PDB file of all heavy atoms in Angstrom:
ATOM      1  N   GLU Y  55      25.747  15.624  -7.773  1.00 97.00           N
ATOM      2  CA  GLU Y  55      27.135  15.295  -7.414  1.00 97.00           C
ATOM      3  C   GLU Y  55      27.154  14.849  -5.950  1.00 97.00           C
ATOM      4  O   GLU Y  55      26.591  15.529  -5.094  1.00 97.00           O
ATOM      5  CB  GLU Y  55      28.041  16.505  -7.609  1.00 97.00           C
ATOM      6  CG  GLU Y  55      29.485  16.231  -7.261  1.00 97.00           C
ATOM      7  CD  GLU Y  55      30.378  17.453  -7.417  1.00 97.00           C
ATOM      8  OE1 GLU Y  55      29.889  18.540  -7.807  1.00 97.00           O
ATOM      9  OE2 GLU Y  55      31.570  17.333  -7.118  1.00 97.00           O
ATOM     10  N   PRO Y  56      27.792  13.721  -5.637  1.00 98.00           N
ATOM     11  CA  PRO Y  56      27.800  13.251  -4.252  1.00 98.00           C
ATOM     12  C   PRO Y  56      28.435  14.257  -3.288  1.00 98.00           C
ATOM     13  O   PRO Y  56      29.518  14.764  -3.540  1.00 98.00           O
ATOM     14  CB  PRO Y  56      28.630  11.974  -4.306  1.00 98.00           C
ATOM     15  CG  PRO Y  56      28.535  11.521  -5.730  1.00 98.00           C
ATOM     16  CD  PRO Y  56      28.454  12.777  -6.542  1.00 98.00           C
ATOM     17  N   VAL Y  57      27.718  14.520  -2.211  1.00 97.00           N
ATOM     18  CA  VAL Y  57      28.256  15.322  -1.116  1.00 97.00           C
ATOM     19  C   VAL Y  57      29.003  14.379  -0.174  1.00 97.00           C
ATOM     20  O   VAL Y  57      30.139  14.632   0.213  1.00 97.00           O
ATOM     21  CB  VAL Y  57      27.135  16.041  -0.342  1.00 97.00           C
ATOM     22  CG1 VAL Y  57      27.714  16.891   0.776  1.00 97.00           C
ATOM     23  CG2 VAL Y  57      26.276  16.865  -1.276  1.00 97.00           C
ATOM     24  N   HIS Y  58      28.335  13.296   0.184  1.00 97.00           N
ATOM     25  CA  HIS Y  58      28.944  12.207   0.952  1.00 97.00           C
ATOM     26  C   HIS Y  58      28.811  10.939   0.119  1.00 97.00           C
ATOM     27  O   HIS Y  58      27.737  10.671  -0.406  1.00 97.00           O
ATOM     28  CB  HIS Y  58      28.207  11.973   2.281  1.00 97.00           C
ATOM     29  CG  HIS Y  58      28.238  13.120   3.208  1.00 97.00           C
ATOM     30  ND1 HIS Y  58      27.155  13.949   3.394  1.00 97.00           N
ATOM     31  CD2 HIS Y  58      29.220  13.588   4.015  1.00 97.00           C
ATOM     32  CE1 HIS Y  58      27.464  14.870   4.277  1.00 97.00           C
ATOM     33  NE2 HIS Y  58      28.710  14.696   4.665  1.00 97.00           N
ATOM     34  N   HIS Y  59      29.890  10.206   0.018  1.00 98.00           N
ATOM     35  CA  HIS Y  59      29.844   8.865  -0.563  1.00 98.00           C
ATOM     36  C   HIS Y  59      30.871   8.054   0.208  1.00 98.00           C
ATOM     37  O   HIS Y  59      32.081   8.244   0.053  1.00 98.00           O
ATOM     38  CB  HIS Y  59      30.146   8.871  -2.061  1.00 98.00           C
ATOM     39  CG  HIS Y  59      29.836   7.564  -2.706  1.00 98.00           C
ATOM     40  ND1 HIS Y  59      30.238   7.255  -3.967  1.00 98.00           N
ATOM     41  CD2 HIS Y  59      29.148   6.479  -2.267  1.00 98.00           C
ATOM     42  CE1 HIS Y  59      29.824   6.036  -4.278  1.00 98.00           C
ATOM     43  NE2 HIS Y  59      29.152   5.552  -3.249  1.00 98.00           N
ATOM     44  N   MET Y  60      30.365   7.181   1.088  1.00 98.00           N
ATOM     45  CA  MET Y  60      31.217   6.471   2.031  1.00 98.00           C
ATOM     46  C   MET Y  60      30.881   4.990   2.042  1.00 98.00           C
ATOM     47  O   MET Y  60      29.730   4.607   1.819  1.00 98.00           O
ATOM     48  CB  MET Y  60      31.023   7.045   3.425  1.00 98.00           C
ATOM     49  CG  MET Y  60      31.296   8.524   3.490  1.00 98.00           C
ATOM     50  SD  MET Y  60      30.844   9.178   5.098  1.00 98.00           S
ATOM     51  CE  MET Y  60      31.377  10.877   4.892  1.00 98.00           C
ATOM     52  N   HIS Y  61      31.900   4.194   2.338  1.00 98.00           N
ATOM     53  CA  HIS Y  61      31.756   2.741   2.386  1.00 98.00           C
ATOM     54  C   HIS Y  61      32.440   2.212   3.642  1.00 98.00           C
ATOM     55  O   HIS Y  61      33.498   2.726   4.029  1.00 98.00           O
ATOM     56  CB  HIS Y  61      32.445   2.074   1.188  1.00 98.00           C
ATOM     57  CG  HIS Y  61      32.100   2.671  -0.126  1.00 98.00           C
ATOM     58  ND1 HIS Y  61      31.114   2.174  -0.931  1.00 98.00           N
ATOM     59  CD2 HIS Y  61      32.616   3.740  -0.788  1.00 98.00           C
ATOM     60  CE1 HIS Y  61      31.041   2.901  -2.042  1.00 98.00           C
ATOM     61  NE2 HIS Y  61      31.939   3.862  -1.964  1.00 98.00           N
ATOM     62  N   ILE Y  62      31.860   1.191   4.238  1.00 98.00           N
ATOM     63  CA  ILE Y  62      32.484   0.466   5.340  1.00 98.00           C
ATOM     64  C   ILE Y  62      32.354  -1.025   5.057  1.00 98.00           C
ATOM     65  O   ILE Y  62      31.293  -1.486   4.636  1.00 98.00           O
ATOM     66  CB  ILE Y  62      31.807   0.757   6.700  1.00 98.00           C
ATOM     67  CG1 ILE Y  62      31.847   2.242   7.039  1.00 98.00           C
ATOM     68  CG2 ILE Y  62      32.471  -0.071   7.816  1.00 98.00           C
ATOM     69  CD1 ILE Y  62      31.052   2.595   8.299  1.00 98.00           C
ATOM     70  N   ARG Y  63      33.435  -1.760   5.296  1.00 98.00           N
ATOM     71  CA  ARG Y  63      33.370  -3.232   5.297  1.00 98.00           C
ATOM     72  C   ARG Y  63      33.813  -3.690   6.680  1.00 98.00           C
ATOM     73  O   ARG Y  63      34.926  -3.390   7.109  1.00 98.00           O
ATOM     74  CB  ARG Y  63      34.284  -3.861   4.258  1.00 98.00           C
ATOM     75  CG  ARG Y  63      34.240  -5.409   4.342  1.00 98.00           C
ATOM     76  CD  ARG Y  63      35.224  -6.100   3.403  1.00 98.00           C
ATOM     77  NE  ARG Y  63      34.999  -5.666   2.048  1.00 98.00           N
ATOM     78  CZ  ARG Y  63      35.965  -5.150   1.256  1.00 98.00           C
ATOM     79  NH1 ARG Y  63      37.199  -5.017   1.704  1.00 98.00           N
ATOM     80  NH2 ARG Y  63      35.682  -4.773   0.030  1.00 98.00           N
ATOM     81  N   VAL Y  64      32.924  -4.400   7.361  1.00 98.00           N
ATOM     82  CA  VAL Y  64      33.230  -4.980   8.659  1.00 98.00           C
ATOM     83  C   VAL Y  64      33.352  -6.480   8.463  1.00 98.00           C
ATOM     84  O   VAL Y  64      32.476  -7.103   7.857  1.00 98.00           O
ATOM     85  CB  VAL Y  64      32.115  -4.664   9.685  1.00 98.00           C
ATOM     86  CG1 VAL Y  64      32.337  -5.399  10.985  1.00 98.00           C
ATOM     87  CG2 VAL Y  64      32.024  -3.173   9.919  1.00 98.00           C
ATOM     88  N   THR Y  65      34.438  -7.067   8.958  1.00 98.00           N
ATOM     89  CA  THR Y  65      34.626  -8.510   8.916  1.00 98.00           C
ATOM     90  C   THR Y  65      34.366  -9.061  10.312  1.00 98.00           C
ATOM     91  O   THR Y  65      34.965  -8.596  11.290  1.00 98.00           O
ATOM     92  CB  THR Y  65      36.049  -8.875   8.448  1.00 98.00           C
ATOM     93  OG1 THR Y  65      36.254  -8.318   7.146  1.00 98.00           O
ATOM     94  CG2 THR Y  65      36.240 -10.383   8.387  1.00 98.00           C
ATOM     95  N   LEU Y  66      33.436 -10.021  10.402  1.00 97.00           N
ATOM     96  CA  LEU Y  66      32.997 -10.603  11.673  1.00 97.00           C
ATOM     97  C   LEU Y  66      33.306 -12.080  11.732  1.00 97.00           C
ATOM     98  O   LEU Y  66      33.313 -12.754  10.694  1.00 97.00           O
ATOM     99  CB  LEU Y  66      31.478 -10.462  11.813  1.00 97.00           C
ATOM    100  CG  LEU Y  66      30.865  -9.090  11.726  1.00 97.00           C
ATOM    101  CD1 LEU Y  66      29.358  -9.197  11.554  1.00 97.00           C
ATOM    102  CD2 LEU Y  66      31.207  -8.300  12.959  1.00 97.00           C
ATOM    103  N   ASP Y  67      33.481 -12.592  12.953  1.00 95.00           N
ATOM    104  CA  ASP Y  67      33.560 -14.034  13.114  1.00 95.00           C
ATOM    105  C   ASP Y  67      32.170 -14.560  13.487  1.00 95.00           C
ATOM    106  O   ASP Y  67      31.208 -13.791  13.537  1.00 95.00           O
ATOM    107  CB  ASP Y  67      34.649 -14.427  14.121  1.00 95.00           C
ATOM    108  CG  ASP Y  67      34.362 -14.001  15.554  1.00 95.00           C
ATOM    109  OD1 ASP Y  67      33.192 -13.697  15.900  1.00 95.00           O
ATOM    110  OD2 ASP Y  67      35.323 -13.970  16.347  1.00 95.00           O
ATOM    111  N   ALA Y  68      32.070 -15.851  13.757  1.00 90.00           N
ATOM    112  CA  ALA Y  68      30.772 -16.474  14.034  1.00 90.00           C
ATOM    113  C   ALA Y  68      30.134 -15.961  15.318  1.00 90.00           C
ATOM    114  O   ALA Y  68      28.923 -16.082  15.500  1.00 90.00           O
ATOM    115  CB  ALA Y  68      30.926 -17.991  14.096  1.00 90.00           C
ATOM    116  N   THR Y  69      30.923 -15.367  16.212  1.00 90.00           N
ATOM    117  CA  THR Y  69      30.374 -14.836  17.462  1.00 90.00           C
ATOM    118  C   THR Y  69      30.087 -13.341  17.360  1.00 90.00           C
ATOM    119  O   THR Y  69      29.839 -12.698  18.370  1.00 90.00           O
ATOM    120  CB  THR Y  69      31.320 -15.113  18.646  1.00 90.00           C
ATOM    121  OG1 THR Y  69      32.567 -14.457  18.415  1.00 90.00           O
ATOM    122  CG2 THR Y  69      31.541 -16.610  18.824  1.00 90.00           C
ATOM    123  N   MET Y  70      30.135 -12.795  16.153  1.00 93.00           N
ATOM    124  CA  MET Y  70      29.831 -11.384  15.866  1.00 93.00           C
ATOM    125  C   MET Y  70      30.907 -10.431  16.396  1.00 93.00           C
ATOM    126  O   MET Y  70      30.651  -9.250  16.599  1.00 93.00           O
ATOM    127  CB  MET Y  70      28.449 -10.987  16.387  1.00 93.00           C
ATOM    128  CG  MET Y  70      27.303 -11.812  15.827  1.00 93.00           C
ATOM    129  SD  MET Y  70      27.000 -11.467  14.095  1.00 93.00           S
ATOM    130  CE  MET Y  70      25.969 -10.028  14.228  1.00 93.00           C
ATOM    131  N   VAL Y  71      32.110 -10.935  16.604  1.00 96.00           N
ATOM    132  CA  VAL Y  71      33.232 -10.087  16.999  1.00 96.00           C
ATOM    133  C   VAL Y  71      33.862  -9.518  15.730  1.00 96.00           C
ATOM    134  O   VAL Y  71      34.115 -10.246  14.762  1.00 96.00           O
ATOM    135  CB  VAL Y  71      34.280 -10.876  17.812  1.00 96.00           C
ATOM    136  CG1 VAL Y  71      35.535 -10.039  18.062  1.00 96.00           C
ATOM    137  CG2 VAL Y  71      33.679 -11.340  19.132  1.00 96.00           C
ATOM    138  N   ILE Y  72      34.116  -8.209  15.744  1.00 98.00           N
ATOM    139  CA  ILE Y  72      34.738  -7.554  14.591  1.00 98.00           C
ATOM    140  C   ILE Y  72      36.204  -7.942  14.529  1.00 98.00           C
ATOM    141  O   ILE Y  72      36.959  -7.700  15.473  1.00 98.00           O
ATOM    142  CB  ILE Y  72      34.579  -6.020  14.663  1.00 98.00           C
ATOM    143  CG1 ILE Y  72      33.095  -5.642  14.604  1.00 98.00           C
ATOM    144  CG2 ILE Y  72      35.375  -5.343  13.547  1.00 98.00           C
ATOM    145  CD1 ILE Y  72      32.822  -4.163  14.781  1.00 98.00           C
ATOM    146  N   ARG Y  73      36.598  -8.539  13.419  1.00 98.00           N
ATOM    147  CA  ARG Y  73      37.987  -8.965  13.210  1.00 98.00           C
ATOM    148  C   ARG Y  73      38.760  -7.976  12.340  1.00 98.00           C
ATOM    149  O   ARG Y  73      39.981  -7.908  12.423  1.00 98.00           O
ATOM    150  CB  ARG Y  73      38.027 -10.360  12.586  1.00 98.00           C
ATOM    151  CG  ARG Y  73      37.450 -11.417  13.486  1.00 98.00           C
ATOM    152  CD  ARG Y  73      38.238 -11.500  14.752  1.00 98.00           C
ATOM    153  NE  ARG Y  73      37.637 -12.417  15.701  1.00 98.00           N
ATOM    154  CZ  ARG Y  73      37.977 -12.466  16.960  1.00 98.00           C
ATOM    155  NH1 ARG Y  73      38.884 -11.643  17.440  1.00 98.00           N
ATOM    156  NH2 ARG Y  73      37.397 -13.303  17.771  1.00 98.00           N
ATOM    157  N   ASP Y  74      38.051  -7.207  11.517  1.00 98.00           N
ATOM    158  CA  ASP Y  74      38.704  -6.192  10.685  1.00 98.00           C
ATOM    159  C   ASP Y  74      37.647  -5.186  10.250  1.00 98.00           C
ATOM    160  O   ASP Y  74      36.452  -5.477  10.281  1.00 98.00           O
ATOM    161  CB  ASP Y  74      39.368  -6.835   9.454  1.00 98.00           C
ATOM    162  CG  ASP Y  74      40.414  -5.934   8.807  1.00 98.00           C
ATOM    163  OD1 ASP Y  74      40.800  -4.900   9.426  1.00 98.00           O
ATOM    164  OD2 ASP Y  74      40.853  -6.242   7.695  1.00 98.00           O
ATOM    165  N   ILE Y  75      38.128  -4.016   9.857  1.00 98.00           N
ATOM    166  CA  ILE Y  75      37.227  -2.978   9.357  1.00 98.00           C
ATOM    167  C   ILE Y  75      37.986  -2.153   8.332  1.00 98.00           C
ATOM    168  O   ILE Y  75      39.175  -1.864   8.507  1.00 98.00           O
ATOM    169  CB  ILE Y  75      36.672  -2.110  10.510  1.00 98.00           C
ATOM    170  CG1 ILE Y  75      35.533  -1.198  10.027  1.00 98.00           C
ATOM    171  CG2 ILE Y  75      37.769  -1.331  11.192  1.00 98.00           C
ATOM    172  CD1 ILE Y  75      34.700  -0.609  11.148  1.00 98.00           C
ATOM    173  N   ALA Y  76      37.328  -1.851   7.230  1.00 98.00           N
ATOM    174  CA  ALA Y  76      37.910  -1.016   6.168  1.00 98.00           C
ATOM    175  C   ALA Y  76      36.915   0.092   5.838  1.00 98.00           C
ATOM    176  O   ALA Y  76      35.700  -0.121   5.893  1.00 98.00           O
ATOM    177  CB  ALA Y  76      38.201  -1.858   4.930  1.00 98.00           C
ATOM    178  N   VAL Y  77      37.442   1.272   5.528  1.00 98.00           N
ATOM    179  CA  VAL Y  77      36.603   2.440   5.260  1.00 98.00           C
ATOM    180  C   VAL Y  77      37.114   3.133   4.008  1.00 98.00           C
ATOM    181  O   VAL Y  77      38.324   3.232   3.790  1.00 98.00           O
ATOM    182  CB  VAL Y  77      36.662   3.430   6.450  1.00 98.00           C
ATOM    183  CG1 VAL Y  77      35.790   4.645   6.184  1.00 98.00           C
ATOM    184  CG2 VAL Y  77      36.258   2.760   7.747  1.00 98.00           C
ATOM    185  N   ALA Y  78      36.188   3.623   3.182  1.00 98.00           N
ATOM    186  CA  ALA Y  78      36.538   4.465   2.027  1.00 98.00           C
ATOM    187  C   ALA Y  78      35.597   5.661   2.035  1.00 98.00           C
ATOM    188  O   ALA Y  78      34.400   5.515   2.266  1.00 98.00           O
ATOM    189  CB  ALA Y  78      36.400   3.686   0.723  1.00 98.00           C
ATOM    190  N   MET Y  79      36.175   6.822   1.827  1.00 97.00           N
ATOM    191  CA  MET Y  79      35.383   8.055   1.756  1.00 97.00           C
ATOM    192  C   MET Y  79      35.649   8.672   0.386  1.00 97.00           C
ATOM    193  O   MET Y  79      36.591   9.427   0.203  1.00 97.00           O
ATOM    194  CB  MET Y  79      35.774   9.004   2.897  1.00 97.00           C
ATOM    195  CG  MET Y  79      35.501   8.428   4.273  1.00 97.00           C
ATOM    196  SD  MET Y  79      36.104   9.472   5.627  1.00 97.00           S
ATOM    197  CE  MET Y  79      34.622  10.382   6.028  1.00 97.00           C
ATOM    198  N   ASP Y  80      34.810   8.307  -0.583  1.00 97.00           N
ATOM    199  CA  ASP Y  80      35.004   8.766  -1.968  1.00 97.00           C
ATOM    200  C   ASP Y  80      34.647  10.231  -2.144  1.00 97.00           C
ATOM    201  O   ASP Y  80      35.248  10.916  -2.963  1.00 97.00           O
ATOM    202  CB  ASP Y  80      34.156   7.922  -2.923  1.00 97.00           C
ATOM    203  CG  ASP Y  80      34.557   6.460  -2.919  1.00 97.00           C
ATOM    204  OD1 ASP Y  80      35.703   6.138  -2.543  1.00 97.00           O
ATOM    205  OD2 ASP Y  80      33.705   5.630  -3.286  1.00 97.00           O
ATOM    206  N   SER Y  81      33.647  10.707  -1.408  1.00 96.00           N
ATOM    207  CA  SER Y  81      33.227  12.114  -1.483  1.00 96.00           C
ATOM    208  C   SER Y  81      32.913  12.601  -0.081  1.00 96.00           C
ATOM    209  O   SER Y  81      32.161  11.952   0.642  1.00 96.00           O
ATOM    210  CB  SER Y  81      31.981  12.279  -2.357  1.00 96.00           C
ATOM    211  OG  SER Y  81      32.239  11.901  -3.675  1.00 96.00           O
ATOM    212  N   VAL Y  82      33.503  13.736   0.277  1.00 96.00           N
ATOM    213  CA  VAL Y  82      33.255  14.375   1.573  1.00 96.00           C
ATOM    214  C   VAL Y  82      33.209  15.883   1.354  1.00 96.00           C
ATOM    215  O   VAL Y  82      33.837  16.395   0.431  1.00 96.00           O
ATOM    216  CB  VAL Y  82      34.340  14.008   2.613  1.00 96.00           C
ATOM    217  CG1 VAL Y  82      34.290  12.523   2.942  1.00 96.00           C
ATOM    218  CG2 VAL Y  82      35.719  14.398   2.134  1.00 96.00           C
ATOM    219  N   PRO Y  83      32.492  16.609   2.208  1.00 95.00           N
ATOM    220  CA  PRO Y  83      32.363  18.049   1.993  1.00 95.00           C
ATOM    221  C   PRO Y  83      33.507  18.890   2.577  1.00 95.00           C
ATOM    222  O   PRO Y  83      33.666  20.041   2.198  1.00 95.00           O
ATOM    223  CB  PRO Y  83      31.049  18.393   2.681  1.00 95.00           C
ATOM    224  CG  PRO Y  83      30.896  17.352   3.734  1.00 95.00           C
ATOM    225  CD  PRO Y  83      31.545  16.115   3.184  1.00 95.00           C
ATOM    226  N   HIS Y  84      34.299  18.315   3.489  1.00 95.00           N
ATOM    227  CA  HIS Y  84      35.321  19.110   4.165  1.00 95.00           C
ATOM    228  C   HIS Y  84      36.655  18.368   4.175  1.00 95.00           C
ATOM    229  O   HIS Y  84      36.688  17.144   4.321  1.00 95.00           O
ATOM    230  CB  HIS Y  84      34.898  19.410   5.606  1.00 95.00           C
ATOM    231  CG  HIS Y  84      33.524  19.988   5.712  1.00 95.00           C
ATOM    232  ND1 HIS Y  84      33.232  21.272   5.300  1.00 95.00           N
ATOM    233  CD2 HIS Y  84      32.360  19.455   6.154  1.00 95.00           C
ATOM    234  CE1 HIS Y  84      31.943  21.504   5.498  1.00 95.00           C
ATOM    235  NE2 HIS Y  84      31.392  20.410   6.001  1.00 95.00           N
ATOM    236  N   SER Y  85      37.739  19.095   4.080  1.00 93.00           N
ATOM    237  CA  SER Y  85      39.066  18.471   3.997  1.00 93.00           C
ATOM    238  C   SER Y  85      39.441  17.631   5.221  1.00 93.00           C
ATOM    239  O   SER Y  85      40.132  16.622   5.068  1.00 93.00           O
ATOM    240  CB  SER Y  85      40.142  19.521   3.702  1.00 93.00           C
ATOM    241  OG  SER Y  85      40.163  20.503   4.718  1.00 93.00           O
ATOM    242  N   PRO Y  86      39.019  17.953   6.447  1.00 95.00           N
ATOM    243  CA  PRO Y  86      39.382  17.088   7.577  1.00 95.00           C
ATOM    244  C   PRO Y  86      38.627  15.752   7.630  1.00 95.00           C
ATOM    245  O   PRO Y  86      39.027  14.845   8.355  1.00 95.00           O
ATOM    246  CB  PRO Y  86      39.028  17.917   8.819  1.00 95.00           C
ATOM    247  CG  PRO Y  86      38.909  19.318   8.352  1.00 95.00           C
ATOM    248  CD  PRO Y  86      38.461  19.230   6.915  1.00 95.00           C
ATOM    249  N   CYS Y  87      37.546  15.609   6.879  1.00 95.00           N
ATOM    250  CA  CYS Y  87      36.699  14.411   6.971  1.00 95.00           C
ATOM    251  C   CYS Y  87      37.459  13.085   6.872  1.00 95.00           C
ATOM    252  O   CYS Y  87      37.217  12.177   7.673  1.00 95.00           O
ATOM    253  CB  CYS Y  87      35.587  14.459   5.930  1.00 95.00           C
ATOM    254  SG  CYS Y  87      34.340  15.748   6.225  1.00 95.00           S
ATOM    255  N   PRO Y  88      38.390  12.910   5.924  1.00 96.00           N
ATOM    256  CA  PRO Y  88      39.073  11.618   5.816  1.00 96.00           C
ATOM    257  C   PRO Y  88      39.850  11.205   7.070  1.00 96.00           C
ATOM    258  O   PRO Y  88      40.143  10.021   7.253  1.00 96.00           O
ATOM    259  CB  PRO Y  88      40.010  11.814   4.620  1.00 96.00           C
ATOM    260  CG  PRO Y  88      39.319  12.848   3.786  1.00 96.00           C
ATOM    261  CD  PRO Y  88      38.695  13.783   4.788  1.00 96.00           C
ATOM    262  N   GLN Y  89      40.142  12.144   7.947  1.00 96.00           N
ATOM    263  CA  GLN Y  89      40.837  11.794   9.189  1.00 96.00           C
ATOM    264  C   GLN Y  89      39.989  10.893  10.074  1.00 96.00           C
ATOM    265  O   GLN Y  89      40.506  10.266  11.001  1.00 96.00           O
ATOM    266  CB  GLN Y  89      41.222  13.061   9.954  1.00 96.00           C
ATOM    267  CG  GLN Y  89      42.237  13.916   9.245  1.00 96.00           C
ATOM    268  CD  GLN Y  89      42.467  15.245   9.965  1.00 96.00           C
ATOM    269  OE1 GLN Y  89      42.302  15.345  11.174  1.00 96.00           O
ATOM    270  NE2 GLN Y  89      42.828  16.261   9.199  1.00 96.00           N
ATOM    271  N   ALA Y  90      38.704  10.806   9.811  1.00 96.00           N
ATOM    272  CA  ALA Y  90      37.804   9.956  10.606  1.00 96.00           C
ATOM    273  C   ALA Y  90      37.917   8.483  10.233  1.00 96.00           C
ATOM    274  O   ALA Y  90      37.346   7.636  10.932  1.00 96.00           O
ATOM    275  CB  ALA Y  90      36.362  10.425  10.433  1.00 96.00           C
ATOM    276  N   GLN Y  91      38.661   8.154   9.186  1.00 96.00           N
ATOM    277  CA  GLN Y  91      38.768   6.755   8.773  1.00 96.00           C
ATOM    278  C   GLN Y  91      39.589   5.922   9.761  1.00 96.00           C
ATOM    279  O   GLN Y  91      39.182   4.827  10.135  1.00 96.00           O
ATOM    280  CB  GLN Y  91      39.379   6.660   7.373  1.00 96.00           C
ATOM    281  CG  GLN Y  91      38.475   7.238   6.306  1.00 96.00           C
ATOM    282  CD  GLN Y  91      39.126   7.248   4.944  1.00 96.00           C
ATOM    283  OE1 GLN Y  91      38.953   6.316   4.183  1.00 96.00           O
ATOM    284  NE2 GLN Y  91      39.882   8.300   4.657  1.00 96.00           N
ATOM    285  N   GLU Y  92      40.734   6.405  10.156  1.00 96.00           N
ATOM    286  CA  GLU Y  92      41.631   5.623  11.025  1.00 96.00           C
ATOM    287  C   GLU Y  92      41.003   5.279  12.372  1.00 96.00           C
ATOM    288  O   GLU Y  92      41.145   4.149  12.844  1.00 96.00           O
ATOM    289  CB  GLU Y  92      42.962   6.347  11.212  1.00 96.00           C
ATOM    290  CG  GLU Y  92      44.001   5.532  11.962  1.00 96.00           C
ATOM    291  CD  GLU Y  92      44.317   4.164  11.368  1.00 96.00           C
ATOM    292  OE1 GLU Y  92      44.279   4.010  10.123  1.00 96.00           O
ATOM    293  OE2 GLU Y  92      44.610   3.242  12.159  1.00 96.00           O
ATOM    294  N   PRO Y  93      40.296   6.205  13.046  1.00 96.00           N
ATOM    295  CA  PRO Y  93      39.682   5.829  14.327  1.00 96.00           C
ATOM    296  C   PRO Y  93      38.691   4.671  14.221  1.00 96.00           C
ATOM    297  O   PRO Y  93      38.413   4.006  15.233  1.00 96.00           O
ATOM    298  CB  PRO Y  93      38.969   7.115  14.776  1.00 96.00           C
ATOM    299  CG  PRO Y  93      39.730   8.214  14.123  1.00 96.00           C
ATOM    300  CD  PRO Y  93      40.172   7.650  12.791  1.00 96.00           C
TER     301      PRO Y  93
END
Side-chain angles (χ1 to χ4, degrees):
E55 180 182 0
V57 181
H58 298 103
H59 191 192
M60 303 173 176
H61 311 265
I62 301 174
R63 177 185 304 126
V64 173
T65 301
L66 303 166
D67 67 18
T69 62
M70 302 290 276
V71 172
I72 297 175
R73 296 299 174 194
D74 198 12
I75 191 164
V77 180
M79 298 174 95
D80 297 338
S81 297
V82 295
H84 309 289
S85 59
C87 292
Q89 294 173 28
Q91 293 175 93
E92 187 56 33

